[in-house]
Amino acid sequence: MPVHYGTYWPIGMDAVRPHEFHTPGDEFVRIAAQLAPSVSVHRLGHGESVRPEVAR
């Protein structure tokens, strides 16, 4: 499931509240691992992609 964060972040706000711009992806991965440890979570960087595989 794609999750976008910081897409419409106001210019200059990452200097004021950088944790709200830079950490949501890592926080999502951490919480997902706690709630569903058997599920693979891929946090992609800008321009990266992942090809999901069918579980057998």
Side-chain angles (χ1 to χ4, degrees):
M1 143 185 54
V3 176
H4 294 265
Y5 55 90
T7 303
Y8 298 108
W9 194 253
I11 294 172
M13 284 300 290
D14 42 319
V16 178
R17 303 178 90 170
H19 66 282
E20 291 187 19
F21 183 73
H22 297 286
T23 61
D26 294 329
E27 187 73 1
F28 179 85
V29 171
R30 185 182 69 76
I31 293 171
Q34 289 176 344
L35 297 175
S38 63
V39 174
S40 295
V41 178
H42 303 276
R43 183 188 182 281
L44 304 179
H46 294 287
E48 292 182 317
S49 63
V50 65
R51 185 179 183 126
E53 296 183 16
V54 176
R56 296 178 190 256

Coordinates of all heavy atoms in Angstrom, one line a residue:
M1 N 0.8 -1.2 0.0 CA 0.0 0.0 0.0 C 0.9 1.2 0.0 O 1.7 1.4 0.9 CB -0.9 -0.1 1.2 CG -1.2 1.3 1.9 SD -2.1 1.3 3.4 CE -1.2 0.2 4.4
P2 N 0.8 2.1 -1.0 CA 1.6 3.3 -1.0 C 1.2 4.3 0.0 O 0.0 4.4 0.3 CB 1.4 3.9 -2.4 CG 0.8 2.8 -3.2 CD 0.1 1.9 -2.2
V3 N 2.1 4.8 0.7 CA 1.8 5.9 1.7 C 2.7 7.1 1.3 O 3.9 7.0 1.3 CB 2.1 5.4 3.1 CG1 1.9 6.5 4.1 CG2 1.3 4.2 3.5
H4 N 2.1 8.2 1.1 CA 2.8 9.4 0.8 C 2.7 10.3 2.0 O 1.7 10.5 2.6 CB 2.2 10.2 -0.4 CG 2.3 9.4 -1.6 ND1 3.3 9.6 -2.5 CD2 1.6 8.4 -2.2 CE1 3.2 8.8 -3.5 NE2 2.2 8.0 -3.3
Y5 N 3.9 10.9 2.4 CA 3.9 11.8 3.5 C 4.8 13.0 3.2 O 5.8 12.8 2.5 CB 4.3 11.2 4.8 CG 5.7 10.4 4.7 CD1 6.9 11.1 5.0 CD2 5.7 9.1 4.4 CE1 8.1 10.5 4.9 CE2 7.0 8.5 4.2 CZ 8.1 9.2 4.5 OH 9.3 8.5 4.4
G6 N 4.5 14.2 3.6 CA 5.3 15.3 3.3 C 5.1 15.8 1.8 O 5.9 16.7 1.4
T7 N 4.2 15.3 1.1 CA 4.0 15.7 -0.3 C 3.7 17.2 -0.4 O 4.3 17.9 -1.3 CB 2.9 14.9 -1.0 OG1 3.2 13.5 -0.9 CG2 2.8 15.2 -2.5
Y8 N 2.9 17.7 0.4 CA 2.5 19.1 0.3 C 3.0 19.9 1.5 O 2.4 20.8 2.1 CB 1.0 19.3 0.2 CG 0.4 18.7 -1.0 CD1 -0.3 17.5 -1.0 CD2 0.7 19.2 -2.2 CE1 -0.8 16.9 -2.1 CE2 0.2 18.7 -3.4 CZ -0.5 17.5 -3.3 OH -1.0 17.0 -4.5
W9 N 4.2 19.5 2.0 CA 4.8 20.1 3.2 C 5.2 21.6 2.8 O 5.8 21.8 1.8 CB 6.0 19.3 3.5 CG 6.5 19.6 4.9 CD1 7.7 20.3 5.2 CD2 6.0 19.3 6.1 NE1 7.8 20.4 6.5 CE2 6.8 19.8 7.1 CE3 4.8 18.6 6.5 CZ2 6.5 19.6 8.5 CZ3 4.6 18.4 7.8 CH2 5.4 18.9 8.8
P10 N 4.7 22.5 3.7 CA 5.0 23.9 3.4 C 6.5 24.2 3.4 O 7.3 23.7 4.2 CB 4.4 24.7 4.5 CG 3.3 23.7 5.1 CD 3.9 22.3 4.8
I11 N 7.0 25.0 2.4 CA 8.4 25.4 2.3 C 8.9 26.0 3.6 O 8.2 26.9 4.2 CB 8.6 26.4 1.2 CG1 8.3 25.7 -0.2 CG2 10.0 26.9 1.1 CD1 8.3 26.6 -1.4
G12 N 10.0 25.5 4.1 CA 10.6 26.0 5.3 C 10.2 25.3 6.6 O 10.8 25.5 7.6
M13 N 9.2 24.4 6.5 CA 8.7 23.8 7.7 C 9.6 22.7 8.2 O 9.6 22.3 9.4 CB 7.3 23.2 7.5 CG 6.2 24.3 7.5 SD 6.1 25.2 9.1 CE 5.5 24.0 10.2
D14 N 10.4 22.1 7.3 CA 11.3 21.0 7.8 C 12.4 21.6 8.7 O 13.0 20.9 9.5 CB 11.9 20.1 6.8 CG 12.3 20.8 5.5 OD1 11.6 21.7 5.1 OD2 13.4 20.4 5.0
A15 N 12.6 22.9 8.7 CA 13.5 23.5 9.7 C 12.8 23.7 11.0 O 13.5 23.7 12.1 CB 14.0 24.9 9.1
V16 N 11.5 23.8 11.0 CA 10.7 24.0 12.3 C 10.3 22.7 12.9 O 10.5 22.6 14.1 CB 9.4 24.9 12.0 CG1 8.6 25.1 13.2 CG2 9.8 26.2 11.3
R17 N 9.9 21.8 12.2 CA 9.4 20.5 12.7 C 9.9 19.3 11.8 O 9.1 18.6 11.2 CB 7.9 20.5 12.8 CG 7.3 21.6 13.6 CD 5.8 21.6 13.6 NE 5.5 20.7 14.7 CZ 4.2 20.6 15.2 NH1 3.3 21.3 14.6 NH2 4.0 19.9 16.2
P18 N 11.2 19.1 11.8 CA 11.8 18.1 10.9 C 11.3 16.7 11.1 O 11.2 15.9 10.2 CB 13.3 18.3 11.1 CG 13.5 18.9 12.4 CD 12.3 19.8 12.6
H19 N 11.0 16.4 12.4 CA 10.6 15.0 12.7 C 9.2 14.7 12.0 O 9.0 13.5 11.7 CB 10.4 14.8 14.2 CG 9.4 15.7 14.8 ND1 9.5 17.0 15.1 CD2 8.1 15.4 15.2 CE1 8.4 17.5 15.6 NE2 7.5 16.5 15.7
E20 N 8.4 15.7 11.7 CA 7.1 15.4 11.1 C 7.3 15.2 9.6 O 6.4 14.7 8.9 CB 6.1 16.5 11.4 CG 5.7 16.5 12.8 CD 4.6 17.5 13.1 OE1 3.9 17.9 12.1 OE2 4.4 17.8 14.3
F21 N 8.4 15.6 9.0 CA 8.7 15.4 7.6 C 9.5 14.2 7.3 O 9.3 13.5 6.3 CB 9.4 16.7 7.0 CG 9.6 16.6 5.6 CD1 8.5 16.8 4.7 CD2 10.9 16.4 5.1 CE1 8.7 16.7 3.3 CE2 11.1 16.4 3.7 CZ 10.0 16.5 2.8
H22 N 10.5 13.9 8.2 CA 11.5 12.9 7.9 C 11.2 11.5 8.5 O 11.7 10.5 8.1 CB 12.9 13.3 8.3 CG 13.3 14.5 7.5 ND1 13.7 14.5 6.2 CD2 13.4 15.8 7.8 CE1 14.1 15.7 5.7 NE2 13.9 16.5 6.7
T23 N 10.4 11.5 9.6 CA 10.3 10.2 10.3 C 9.0 9.4 10.1 O 9.0 8.3 10.6 CB 10.4 10.5 11.8 OG1 9.4 11.4 12.2 CG2 11.8 11.0 12.2
P24 N 8.0 9.9 9.4 CA 6.7 9.1 9.3 C 7.0 7.7 8.7 O 6.4 6.7 9.1 CB 5.8 9.9 8.5 CG 6.2 11.3 8.8 CD 7.7 11.2 8.9
G25 N 7.8 7.6 7.7 CA 8.1 6.3 7.0 C 8.7 5.3 7.9 O 8.3 4.2 8.0
D26 N 9.7 5.8 8.7 CA 10.4 4.9 9.6 C 9.4 4.5 10.7 O 9.5 3.3 11.2 CB 11.6 5.5 10.2 CG 12.7 5.8 9.2 OD1 12.8 5.0 8.2 OD2 13.4 6.8 9.3
E27 N 8.6 5.4 11.2 CA 7.7 5.1 12.2 C 6.6 4.1 11.8 O 6.2 3.2 12.5 CB 7.0 6.4 12.7 CG 6.1 6.3 13.9 CD 6.8 6.1 15.2 OE1 8.1 6.1 15.2 OE2 6.1 5.9 16.2
F28 N 6.2 4.2 10.5 CA 5.2 3.2 9.9 C 5.8 1.8 9.9 O 5.2 0.9 10.3 CB 4.8 3.7 8.5 CG 3.9 2.7 7.9 CD1 2.5 2.8 8.1 CD2 4.3 1.7 7.0 CE1 1.6 1.9 7.5 CE2 3.5 0.8 6.5 CZ 2.1 0.9 6.7
V29 N 7.1 1.7 9.5 CA 7.8 0.4 9.4 C 7.9 -0.2 10.8 O 7.6 -1.4 11.0 CB 9.1 0.6 8.7 CG1 9.9 -0.7 8.9 CG2 9.0 1.0 7.3
R30 N 8.3 0.7 11.8 CA 8.4 0.2 13.2 C 7.1 -0.3 13.7 O 7.0 -1.5 14.3 CB 9.0 1.3 14.1 CG 9.3 0.9 15.5 CD 9.8 2.1 16.3 NE 8.7 3.0 16.6 CZ 7.7 2.9 17.5 NH1 7.6 1.8 18.2 NH2 6.8 3.8 17.6
I31 N 6.0 0.4 13.6 CA 4.7 0.0 14.1 C 4.2 -1.2 13.4 O 3.6 -2.1 14.0 CB 3.8 1.2 14.1 CG1 4.2 2.2 15.1 CG2 2.3 0.7 14.5 CD1 3.5 3.6 15.1
A32 N 4.3 -1.2 12.1 CA 3.9 -2.4 11.3 C 4.6 -3.7 11.7 O 4.0 -4.7 11.8 CB 4.1 -2.1 9.8
A33 N 5.9 -3.6 12.0 CA 6.6 -4.7 12.5 C 6.1 -5.2 13.8 O 6.1 -6.4 14.1 CB 8.1 -4.4 12.5
Q34 N 5.7 -4.3 14.6 CA 5.1 -4.7 15.9 C 3.8 -5.4 15.8 O 3.5 -6.4 16.4 CB 5.0 -3.5 16.9 CG 6.3 -3.0 17.4 CD 6.1 -1.7 18.2 OE1 5.0 -1.1 18.2 NE2 7.1 -1.3 19.0
L35 N 2.9 -4.8 14.9 CA 1.5 -5.3 14.8 C 1.4 -6.5 13.9 O 0.5 -7.3 14.1 CB 0.6 -4.1 14.3 CG 0.5 -2.9 15.2 CD1 -0.3 -1.8 14.5 CD2 -0.1 -3.3 16.5
A36 N 2.3 -6.6 12.9 CA 2.2 -7.7 12.0 C 3.6 -8.2 11.7 O 4.1 -8.0 10.6 CB 1.5 -7.3 10.7
P37 N 4.2 -8.9 12.6 CA 5.6 -9.3 12.4 C 5.9 -10.2 11.3 O 7.0 -10.3 10.8 CB 6.0 -10.0 13.8 CG 4.7 -10.3 14.4 CD 3.7 -9.3 13.9
S38 N 4.9 -10.9 10.8 CA 5.1 -11.9 9.7 C 4.9 -11.2 8.3 O 5.1 -11.8 7.3 CB 4.2 -13.1 9.8 OG 2.8 -12.6 9.7
V39 N 4.6 -9.9 8.3 CA 4.4 -9.2 7.0 C 5.7 -8.4 6.7 O 6.3 -7.8 7.5 CB 3.2 -8.2 7.2 CG1 3.1 -7.3 5.9 CG2 2.0 -9.0 7.5
S40 N 6.1 -8.4 5.4 CA 7.2 -7.7 4.9 C 6.8 -6.3 4.6 O 5.9 -6.0 3.9 CB 7.8 -8.3 3.7 OG 8.3 -9.6 3.9
V41 N 7.6 -5.3 5.2 CA 7.3 -3.9 4.9 C 8.5 -3.3 4.2 O 9.6 -3.5 4.7 CB 7.0 -3.1 6.2 CG1 6.8 -1.7 5.9 CG2 5.8 -3.7 6.9
H42 N 8.3 -2.7 3.1 CA 9.4 -2.1 2.3 C 9.2 -0.6 2.3 O 8.3 -0.1 1.8 CB 9.3 -2.6 0.8 CG 9.4 -4.1 0.7 ND1 10.6 -4.8 0.7 CD2 8.4 -5.0 0.6 CE1 10.3 -6.0 0.6 NE2 9.0 -6.2 0.5
R43 N 10.2 0.1 3.0 CA 10.2 1.5 3.0 C 11.1 2.0 1.8 O 12.3 1.7 1.8 CB 10.7 2.1 4.3 CG 10.7 3.6 4.3 CD 11.4 4.2 5.5 NE 11.3 5.6 5.6 CZ 12.1 6.4 4.9 NH1 13.0 5.9 4.0 NH2 11.9 7.7 5.0
L44 N 10.5 2.5 0.8 CA 11.2 2.9 -0.4 C 11.7 4.3 -0.3 O 11.0 5.2 0.2 CB 10.4 2.7 -1.6 CG 9.7 1.3 -1.8 CD1 8.9 1.3 -3.1 CD2 10.8 0.3 -1.9
G45 N 12.9 4.5 -0.9 CA 13.4 5.9 -1.0 C 12.9 6.5 -2.3 O 12.2 5.9 -3.1
H46 N 13.2 7.8 -2.5 CA 12.7 8.5 -3.7 C 13.2 7.8 -4.9 O 14.4 7.5 -5.1 CB 13.2 9.9 -3.7 CG 12.6 10.7 -2.6 ND1 11.3 11.1 -2.6 CD2 13.1 11.2 -1.4 CE1 11.0 11.8 -1.5 NE2 12.1 11.8 -0.8
G47 N 12.3 7.5 -5.8 CA 12.6 6.8 -7.1 C 12.8 5.3 -7.1 O 13.0 4.7 -8.1
E48 N 12.7 4.7 -5.9 CA 12.8 3.2 -5.8 C 11.5 2.6 -6.0 O 10.4 3.2 -5.9 CB 13.3 2.9 -4.4 CG 14.7 3.3 -4.1 CD 15.1 2.8 -2.7 OE1 14.4 2.9 -1.7 OE2 16.3 2.3 -2.6
S49 N 11.5 1.3 -6.4 CA 10.3 0.6 -6.6 C 10.5 -0.8 -6.0 O 11.6 -1.3 -5.8 CB 9.9 0.5 -8.1 OG 10.9 -0.2 -8.8
V50 N 9.4 -1.5 -5.9 CA 9.4 -2.9 -5.4 C 8.3 -3.7 -6.2 O 7.3 -3.1 -6.6 CB 9.1 -3.0 -3.9 CG1 7.7 -2.6 -3.5 CG2 9.4 -4.5 -3.4
R51 N 8.7 -4.9 -6.5 CA 7.7 -5.7 -7.3 C 7.2 -6.8 -6.3 O 8.0 -7.7 -5.9 CB 8.4 -6.4 -8.5 CG 7.4 -7.1 -9.3 CD 8.2 -7.7 -10.5 NE 7.2 -8.4 -11.3 CZ 7.0 -8.1 -12.6 NH1 7.7 -7.2 -13.2 NH2 6.1 -8.7 -13.3
P52 N 5.9 -6.7 -5.9 CA 5.4 -7.7 -4.9 C 5.4 -9.1 -5.6 O 5.1 -9.2 -6.8 CB 4.0 -7.2 -4.7 CG 4.0 -5.8 -5.1 CD 5.0 -5.7 -6.2
E53 N 5.6 -10.1 -4.8 CA 5.5 -11.5 -5.2 C 4.3 -12.1 -4.6 O 4.0 -11.8 -3.5 CB 6.8 -12.2 -4.9 CG 8.0 -11.7 -5.6 CD 9.3 -12.5 -5.2 OE1 9.1 -13.6 -4.7 OE2 10.4 -12.0 -5.5
V54 N 3.8 -13.1 -5.3 CA 2.7 -13.8 -4.7 C 3.2 -14.9 -3.7 O 4.1 -15.6 -4.0 CB 1.9 -14.5 -5.9 CG1 0.7 -15.4 -5.3 CG2 1.4 -13.5 -6.9
A55 N 2.6 -14.9 -2.6 CA 2.9 -15.9 -1.6 C 2.4 -17.3 -2.0 O 1.3 -17.4 -2.5 CB 2.4 -15.5 -0.2
R56 N 3.3 -18.3 -1.8 CA 2.8 -19.6 -2.2 C 2.7 -20.5 -1.0 O 3.4 -20.4 0.0 CB 3.8 -20.2 -3.2 CG 3.9 -19.4 -4.4 CD 4.9 -20.0 -5.4 NE 5.1 -19.0 -6.5 CZ 4.5 -19.2 -7.7 NH1 3.8 -20.3 -8.0 NH2 4.7 -18.3 -8.7

